[in-house]
Amino acid sequence: MTETAPVLLVDQRDGYRVLTLNRPQRLNAFDAGLHAALRQALAEAGEDPACRAVLLAGAGRGFCAGQDLAEPGLTDPDVDLGAVLDRGWNALVAALRGLPKPVVCAVQGVAAGAGASVALACDITLVTEDAKFSQAFIRIGLIPDSGATWMLPRLIGPARARALAMLGDTISGAEAASMGLVYRAVPAASLMAEAEALCARLARLPAEALAATKRVLDAAEDNTLAQQLALEATVQRDLGRSTDYAEGVAAFQQKRPARFTGAPE
Ligand code: T3D
């Protein structure tokens, strides 16, 4: 397939950046080119102080159908799918989780296979009520990957995780939200407006505290309560010396909206 349009659209808004997967003819399935473009865009978003949040979306009728199964070589006898994951999907999930800025994901239509994993790896995921989430891997003889086996049981518990992973059933966005897989389901007509409003709101919040919230919540997955209490104290000690904390407390005392200017670490 020859692609004439850019596979990723990048739009800077006031305080945040919208990254749109743009291979709608393949339901935004990822090939190596899209992986490279998105990782570079995330790195640039991370370094730009004017970008305080990222919105990840998909063009067309679906969010993402996972791996581009038409990419040459995938079923060659000597193919190493582990290396395909390491180079592409695992690096992407690590980039999303490691970005010191909130990532909002807007899912309409299909989120299948690793496309669903990407949606789950973002910080706040909004979906349309009629979106279609599926752990499609089993239908092609694979296990859930790109972090799905780690995220699913943590988000929805082992019973539901096992059933979805083994059966590959498709669930709606409304069901995904009601079982805690994603933050919220909204009517299709308002998805992008709600996702952009969320990003604009995040862009006005204290950036350093948002980055720390993301990092500390991730650390909680491996820590004991004692370790987590100690980590919270360490992080709060630093944030307590920040200009955003001083501004937040002053704004509260003066009964005015706070204006946070601190940059993410
Ligand atoms: O490298 C490795 O394999 C390891 C990594 C694995 C990570 C993974 O993500 S594995 C899972 C890969 N994804 C899938 O298995 C999903 C495949 N797609 C589907 O099952 C269906 O397309 C959907 C259920 C998602 C949607 O069905 P529907 O009926 O709404 O749409 P469609 O007609 O099937 O798809 C529309 C077009 O997109 C179609 O192209 P065409 O015929 O109009 O030219 C279809 O071929 C294309 N498309 C959809 N998914 C993919 C794709 N092309 C390439 N790769 C895809 N994953």
Side-chain angles (χ1 to χ4, degrees):
M1 184 179 62
T2 309
E3 281 167 315
T4 48
V7 293
L8 184 76
L9 307 177
V10 180
D11 293 296
Q12 180 64 30
R13 306 276 206 264
D14 187 12
Y16 65 98
R17 194 163 294 177
V18 184
L19 307 180
T20 307
L21 312 177
N22 191 35
R23 303 186 76 219
Q25 66 285 10
R26 292 210 170 149
L27 294 177
N28 301 317
F30 273 66
D31 63 357
L34 181 51
H35 272 298
L38 181 53
R39 280 218 308 284
Q40 183 180 336
L42 288 170
E44 286 169 4
E47 281 163 19
D48 183 354
C51 173
R52 295 166 66 91
V54 169
L55 170 53
L56 183 62
R61 72 175 173 89
F63 170 66
C64 177
Q67 173 65 40
D68 184 339
L69 297 175
E71 208 172 20
L74 278 183
T75 53
D76 287 354
D78 58 351
V79 73
D80 179 349
L81 282 193
V84 173
L85 286 180
D86 281 340
R87 274 197 307 271
W89 295 103
N90 293 355
L92 173 56
V93 169
L96 289 166
R97 295 300 277 231
L99 193 75
K101 300 178 181 184
V103 182
V104 172
C105 185
V107 174
Q108 88 290 2
V110 164
S117 306
V118 167
L120 302 185
C122 294
D123 296 301
I124 303 179
T125 298
L126 294 185
V127 301
T128 60
E129 288 157 349
D130 61 356
K132 296 186 173 83
F133 269 84
S134 96
Q135 297 298 311
F137 308 88
I138 196 71
R139 295 185 215 145
I140 56 169
L142 297 179
I143 60 161
D145 64 25
S146 312
T149 58
W150 190 88
M151 292 182 282
L152 279 174
R154 284 171 167 77
L155 289 167
I156 57 174
R160 285 166 160 165
R162 277 168 195 260
L164 290 181
M166 289 183 171
L167 300 172
D169 282 347
T170 300
I171 58 168
S172 69
E175 287 172 293
S178 75
M179 64 173 70
L181 194 60
V182 297
Y183 178 50
R184 208 145 59 82
V186 299
S190 59
L191 176 71
M192 287 311 290
E194 293 222 19
E196 297 226 19
L198 208 49
C199 284
R201 191 174 142 200
L202 286 162
R204 291 191 298 272
L205 289 172
E208 208 182 329
L210 285 174
T213 300
K214 183 165 174 164
R215 192 161 37 79
V216 170
L217 282 173
D218 270 356
E221 300 293 346
D222 300 319
N223 278 348
T224 62
L225 176 59
Q227 289 168 325
Q228 198 64 12
L229 288 170
L231 178 60
E232 288 170 0
T234 301
V235 172
Q236 215 71 304
R237 184 174 301 123
D238 290 342
L239 291 176
R241 296 176 182 132
S242 70
T243 53
D244 280 346
Y245 175 63
E247 165 63 6
V249 174
F252 172 76
Q253 289 170 344
Q254 294 159 19
K255 299 189 187 300
R256 62 168 174 82
R259 194 173 163 275
F260 297 113
T261 54
E265 65 244 31

